[in-house]
Amino acid sequence: MARKAATPAQIWRAYAGLGMLAFEAQAVVGMRLLGMSGAWPVGKGENRKMLSEKPPALAKAATAAAAKAASGGRPDQVLTAAVKPLTKIARANRKRLAAKAVVRRKTT
């Protein structure tokens, strides 16, 4: 059975999700670089966390994308399945790092 083609809106939504991942990841990279320079408050284990979180996150994204592709998902659905767990992790990191700056600012 042939699958339905993706509509332009579905393709746009998949790429918008990819754009949000890029935004979240860039914000985290910026805050971590500022943290390394001492201009942003980060925890002592932030550098270790930065490296240790990558393999499980990428494995989760690859597994989700492979499962969607194996079940006959359209390319936009495969992209969304891969991006969703990565965006969730990047968003959590961004919120955590931003909250540290807010807490620090309130106490000074």
Side-chain angles (χ1 to χ4, degrees), residues 7 12 26 29 34 41-42 59-60 82-83 90 95 100 104 108:
T7 66
W12 186 90
Q26 187 59 45
V29 167
L34 287 170
V42 295
K60 196 176 203 179
V83 167
K95 287 180 178 182
K100 286 186 180 196
R104 181 177 175 199
T108 57

Side-chain angles (χ1 to χ4, degrees), residues 20-98:
M20 277 308 298
L21 171 59
F23 170 77
E24 299 283 357
Q26 187 59 45
V28 170
V29 167
M31 285 185 266
R32 283 180 168 161
L33 285 173
L34 287 170
M36 287 180 203
S37 70
W40 193 272
V42 295
K44 292 184 190 228
E46 192 63 37
N47 292 344
R48 190 175 345 102
K49 180 175 176 50
M50 177 174 51
L51 295 173
S52 67
E53 72 187 6
K54 301 284 186 284
L58 293 174
K60 196 176 203 179
T63 302
K68 184 54 85 172
S71 70
R74 298 184 315 262
D76 64 305
Q77 293 171 326
V78 173
L79 176 63
T80 300
V83 167
K84 191 173 183 177
L86 296 175
T87 302
K88 184 178 178 182
I89 293 167
R91 182 170 292 135
N93 283 337
R94 179 187 52 81
K95 287 180 178 182
R96 179 179 50 78
L97 290 166

